[in-house]
Each structure stands twice: as C-alpha cells, then as structure tokens.
Amino acid sequence: MYKLLPKQYWLAGLAIFALFNAAALWVVDQFNFSMNDWRVATVSASAAALVFAFLFGGTGWWSPWRVCWRVVPFLNTKLFPDLNGIWVGSTRSNWPTIKNMLDAAQTDNKITRDELHDTPEQVDAMAIEIKASLFYVKITGGLSSTNGQSHSITVRPWKNDHDHLHLTYIYKQETPNPVVTDDETHLGAADLVIDMENIDKAEGVYWTRRNWKMGLNTAGRLQLRRIRSRKEEGKCLRQYANEEKTRMVE
C-alpha cells in the first residue's frame, strides 16, 4: 500500500529518520560511547527499520497500525485503507455466450450476433480474503461454482483521477476435477475498484487464460462487499462462497 502515499509523506519520513539518526549521534556524544559515526548510522537505521516494520508490516487483527486505524478511521482515506478481511459477492461471467458459440460449432445450428449479445450472463458466488499492510497485499479467492481456489501472484494498488482505489492483480487458479472445457490450473487477472467513501464495497472486471487454445477463456464482472475484518477460525473461503450462493437464491 506504500504506493498510495503522497510524496510529502515520504519526505516527512526521511526527515524523521534524519532526526532519529541525529539523536543517536547526540546520545553517543553525550555518554562518550566508543562508536564511530558509521556504526551509529548503521545501528540507528536498523533500529528505525525494525520499529517501522513492527508498526506497519503486520496484517493481523492486533497489528499496531490496524489498531490505530480502527481508533482513528479517517486514516483510511488520509493515508491508505485497511482492506483486510473477508469479502463476498458475485461474479457475472460470459461463459454462456462462449458455450453457445461452442455448441454452434459442433452442430449445423447457426447463432446470430444479436443472440450472442442477448445471452444472459452466468451468475455465481465467490469469496476472497485480502491481507494487506503498508508493504504487502495478497488476495486469495474461493468459488462456489467449481470449488476452485485462487491466489494472487502480484497486486498493484493505485488511485485514478476520481480518487478511486484500484487493486489490479494477476492470480493463479486451481480447479479440482475440471470438466473438459476447463483447465486444472490457469492464470487470470482482475481489476477491483473501491470507492474511498465506502471502503467496504468493491466492483470490477476479470478475465482468464483458461483453455485459451479453444477460445474458451472467460471474462466478466465482480461485485463484492466486506462482511468480516478477519477470517473465522477453521473456516475456508469456499464455505463463505457457498453461504453467499445460498443467500443469493433465497
């Protein structure tokens, strides 16, 4: 999340580090410690890095920065948001359109462009877990339709001109017992957009590389909402996804 911080905050951090180092030199001088300037700078830099990592490097519920963000919520918009937790929602896929084209290719039946355009999207439930700190973002997903699981390979947080936060990421998905039109593993990408005025909701798009040689790679839309700030003990994402699917059909 550090990429979201304005440049002035980094300049302020450098200034604080310089003051920290100057204070360390003063202590050495006052107490006549037998350390040269280079060693003082090394020790003070290491100490500052350790303190900074302790404060902002964790993703757990009791990580110092997360506690601070809960006490002072405006830090979510002033610095960077705490997105940790369980998110559930729906995927809307173009798979029915692709399947109609595949079926038409295997028969003498023709399908028109208008029929393809009017094909309803396939709606499924999904759940993701976001783990994030100042230095780290990881997204893990679970699907209700195929029991597939995914994990991010790389995540890039960034803001657009409308102050909306994007999480653009590449992921690898594993699908147990794939059908003939699916792959055991495939890569995909997604772009989630979060309105900074309501950081508990996200929407976006995704696309996959699954079975691309047959032209069966899918794309679609995502709509998610955060339901918990941390995952329940012993509960997997597919359970959250199946619960969301049950809620959707009620």
Side-chain angles (χ1 to χ4, degrees), residues 173-175 178-186 209-212:
Q173 181 168 314
E174 298 178 356
T175 303
V179 296
V180 67
T181 56
D182 210 341
D183 278 339
E184 212 172 303
T185 62
H186 68 263
R209 190 182 181 272
R210 74 171 196 141
N211 220 331
W212 65 275

mmCIF file of all heavy atoms in Angstrom, residues 173-175 178-186 209-212:
data_model
loop_
_atom_site.group_PDB
_atom_site.id
_atom_site.type_symbol
_atom_site.label_atom_id
_atom_site.label_comp_id
_atom_site.label_asym_id
_atom_site.label_seq_id
_atom_site.Cartn_x
_atom_site.Cartn_y
_atom_site.Cartn_z
ATOM 1 N N GLN A 173 -5.298 -19.791 -10.590
ATOM 2 C CA GLN A 173 -6.447 -20.535 -10.065
ATOM 3 C C GLN A 173 -6.239 -22.031 -10.273
ATOM 4 O O GLN A 173 -5.789 -22.470 -11.324
ATOM 5 C CB GLN A 173 -7.746 -20.104 -10.743
ATOM 6 C CG GLN A 173 -8.968 -20.841 -10.200
ATOM 7 C CD GLN A 173 -10.271 -20.240 -10.648
ATOM 8 O OE1 GLN A 173 -10.449 -19.025 -10.611
ATOM 9 N NE2 GLN A 173 -11.196 -21.079 -11.083
ATOM 10 N N GLU A 174 -6.611 -22.795 -9.265
ATOM 11 C CA GLU A 174 -6.575 -24.253 -9.329
ATOM 12 C C GLU A 174 -8.003 -24.774 -9.192
ATOM 13 O O GLU A 174 -8.737 -24.373 -8.283
ATOM 14 C CB GLU A 174 -5.688 -24.803 -8.215
ATOM 15 C CG GLU A 174 -4.237 -24.347 -8.316
ATOM 16 C CD GLU A 174 -3.383 -24.854 -7.183
ATOM 17 O OE1 GLU A 174 -3.945 -25.500 -6.259
ATOM 18 O OE2 GLU A 174 -2.166 -24.623 -7.209
ATOM 19 N N THR A 175 -8.393 -25.663 -10.122
ATOM 20 C CA THR A 175 -9.744 -26.202 -10.144
ATOM 21 C C THR A 175 -9.698 -27.708 -9.957
ATOM 22 O O THR A 175 -9.171 -28.424 -10.819
ATOM 23 C CB THR A 175 -10.449 -25.873 -11.478
ATOM 24 O OG1 THR A 175 -10.445 -24.451 -11.674
ATOM 25 C CG2 THR A 175 -11.883 -26.381 -11.477
ATOM 26 N N PRO A 178 -11.500 -30.772 -12.976
ATOM 27 C CA PRO A 178 -12.019 -29.896 -14.028
ATOM 28 C C PRO A 178 -12.768 -30.680 -15.102
ATOM 29 O O PRO A 178 -12.404 -31.815 -15.436
ATOM 30 C CB PRO A 178 -10.748 -29.261 -14.602
ATOM 31 C CG PRO A 178 -9.673 -30.263 -14.333
ATOM 32 C CD PRO A 178 -10.032 -30.882 -13.017
ATOM 33 N N VAL A 179 -13.803 -30.060 -15.662
ATOM 34 C CA VAL A 179 -14.524 -30.670 -16.781
ATOM 35 C C VAL A 179 -13.726 -30.441 -18.053
ATOM 36 O O VAL A 179 -12.698 -29.738 -18.057
ATOM 37 C CB VAL A 179 -15.943 -30.062 -16.904
ATOM 38 C CG1 VAL A 179 -16.761 -30.398 -15.672
ATOM 39 C CG2 VAL A 179 -15.878 -28.549 -17.097
ATOM 40 N N VAL A 180 -14.196 -30.999 -19.178
ATOM 41 C CA VAL A 180 -13.423 -30.970 -20.417
ATOM 42 C C VAL A 180 -13.211 -29.544 -20.926
ATOM 43 O O VAL A 180 -12.240 -29.263 -21.632
ATOM 44 C CB VAL A 180 -14.113 -31.846 -21.488
ATOM 45 C CG1 VAL A 180 -15.447 -31.227 -21.909
ATOM 46 C CG2 VAL A 180 -13.194 -32.039 -22.697
ATOM 47 N N THR A 181 -14.112 -28.622 -20.578
ATOM 48 C CA THR A 181 -13.984 -27.244 -21.046
ATOM 49 C C THR A 181 -13.151 -26.373 -20.113
ATOM 50 O O THR A 181 -12.992 -25.184 -20.359
ATOM 51 C CB THR A 181 -15.379 -26.602 -21.207
ATOM 52 O OG1 THR A 181 -16.079 -26.694 -19.966
ATOM 53 C CG2 THR A 181 -16.168 -27.294 -22.301
ATOM 54 N N ASP A 182 -12.632 -26.972 -19.047
ATOM 55 C CA ASP A 182 -11.887 -26.202 -18.060
ATOM 56 C C ASP A 182 -10.436 -26.665 -18.033
ATOM 57 O O ASP A 182 -10.040 -27.610 -18.722
ATOM 58 C CB ASP A 182 -12.527 -26.368 -16.673
ATOM 59 C CG ASP A 182 -12.330 -25.140 -15.802
ATOM 60 O OD1 ASP A 182 -11.428 -24.345 -16.095
ATOM 61 O OD2 ASP A 182 -13.087 -24.990 -14.831
ATOM 62 N N ASP A 183 -9.616 -25.987 -17.225
ATOM 63 C CA ASP A 183 -8.225 -26.353 -17.014
ATOM 64 C C ASP A 183 -8.005 -26.650 -15.539
ATOM 65 O O ASP A 183 -8.677 -26.082 -14.673
ATOM 66 C CB ASP A 183 -7.283 -25.213 -17.418
ATOM 67 C CG ASP A 183 -7.028 -25.180 -18.920
ATOM 68 O OD1 ASP A 183 -7.225 -26.221 -19.567
ATOM 69 O OD2 ASP A 183 -6.633 -24.120 -19.428
ATOM 70 N N GLU A 184 -7.011 -27.508 -15.278
ATOM 71 C CA GLU A 184 -6.675 -27.799 -13.887
ATOM 72 C C GLU A 184 -6.115 -26.564 -13.191
ATOM 73 O O GLU A 184 -6.431 -26.274 -12.045
ATOM 74 C CB GLU A 184 -5.652 -28.940 -13.838
ATOM 75 C CG GLU A 184 -5.801 -29.814 -12.613
ATOM 76 C CD GLU A 184 -4.917 -31.045 -12.677
ATOM 77 O OE1 GLU A 184 -5.045 -31.802 -13.657
ATOM 78 O OE2 GLU A 184 -4.107 -31.213 -11.757
ATOM 79 N N THR A 185 -5.282 -25.826 -13.911
ATOM 80 C CA THR A 185 -4.755 -24.548 -13.409
ATOM 81 C C THR A 185 -4.736 -23.552 -14.554
ATOM 82 O O THR A 185 -4.532 -23.924 -15.714
ATOM 83 C CB THR A 185 -3.317 -24.690 -12.848
ATOM 84 O OG1 THR A 185 -2.441 -25.104 -13.899
ATOM 85 C CG2 THR A 185 -3.274 -25.695 -11.714
ATOM 86 N N HIS A 186 -4.955 -22.319 -14.241
ATOM 87 C CA HIS A 186 -4.837 -21.269 -15.251
ATOM 88 C C HIS A 186 -4.545 -19.942 -14.580
ATOM 89 O O HIS A 186 -4.776 -19.763 -13.382
ATOM 90 C CB HIS A 186 -6.097 -21.175 -16.114
ATOM 91 C CG HIS A 186 -7.303 -20.673 -15.382
ATOM 92 N ND1 HIS A 186 -8.270 -21.497 -14.846
ATOM 93 C CD2 HIS A 186 -7.714 -19.404 -15.074
ATOM 94 C CE1 HIS A 186 -9.205 -20.782 -14.258
ATOM 95 N NE2 HIS A 186 -8.891 -19.498 -14.374
ATOM 96 N N ARG A 209 -7.207 -16.961 -18.602
ATOM 97 C CA ARG A 209 -6.464 -17.610 -19.691
ATOM 98 C C ARG A 209 -6.879 -19.076 -19.819
ATOM 99 O O ARG A 209 -6.264 -19.843 -20.552
ATOM 100 C CB ARG A 209 -4.961 -17.504 -19.396
ATOM 101 C CG ARG A 209 -4.046 -17.924 -20.545
ATOM 102 C CD ARG A 209 -2.589 -17.832 -20.126
ATOM 103 N NE ARG A 209 -1.689 -18.201 -21.215
ATOM 104 C CZ ARG A 209 -1.286 -19.439 -21.470
ATOM 105 N NH1 ARG A 209 -1.715 -20.433 -20.709
ATOM 106 N NH2 ARG A 209 -0.461 -19.685 -22.475
ATOM 107 N N ARG A 210 -7.918 -19.474 -19.147
ATOM 108 C CA ARG A 210 -8.273 -20.888 -19.104
ATOM 109 C C ARG A 210 -8.674 -21.398 -20.484
ATOM 110 O O ARG A 210 -9.437 -20.754 -21.212
ATOM 111 C CB ARG A 210 -9.385 -21.151 -18.097
ATOM 112 C CG ARG A 210 -10.749 -20.702 -18.540
ATOM 113 C CD ARG A 210 -11.836 -21.195 -17.596
ATOM 114 N NE ARG A 210 -13.114 -21.063 -18.271
ATOM 115 C CZ ARG A 210 -14.094 -21.947 -18.195
ATOM 116 N NH1 ARG A 210 -13.953 -23.020 -17.479
ATOM 117 N NH2 ARG A 210 -15.211 -21.766 -18.844
ATOM 118 N N ASN A 211 -8.141 -22.550 -20.854
ATOM 119 C CA ASN A 211 -8.452 -23.225 -22.111
ATOM 120 C C ASN A 211 -8.441 -22.265 -23.303
ATOM 121 O O ASN A 211 -9.315 -22.322 -24.176
ATOM 122 C CB ASN A 211 -9.818 -23.911 -22.000
ATOM 123 C CG ASN A 211 -9.811 -25.272 -22.658
ATOM 124 O OD1 ASN A 211 -9.058 -25.498 -23.604
ATOM 125 N ND2 ASN A 211 -10.647 -26.173 -22.180
ATOM 126 N N TRP A 212 -7.434 -21.413 -23.354
ATOM 127 C CA TRP A 212 -7.401 -20.350 -24.369
ATOM 128 C C TRP A 212 -7.201 -20.893 -25.778
ATOM 129 O O TRP A 212 -7.621 -20.260 -26.767
ATOM 130 C CB TRP A 212 -6.297 -19.354 -24.026
ATOM 131 C CG TRP A 212 -4.917 -19.940 -24.081
ATOM 132 C CD1 TRP A 212 -4.268 -20.616 -23.091
ATOM 133 C CD2 TRP A 212 -4.029 -19.918 -25.195
ATOM 134 N NE1 TRP A 212 -3.036 -21.022 -23.504
ATOM 135 C CE2 TRP A 212 -2.849 -20.602 -24.804
ATOM 136 C CE3 TRP A 212 -4.096 -19.379 -26.475
ATOM 137 C CZ2 TRP A 212 -1.762 -20.778 -25.646
ATOM 138 C CZ3 TRP A 212 -3.012 -19.543 -27.327
ATOM 139 C CH2 TRP A 212 -1.862 -20.241 -26.915
#
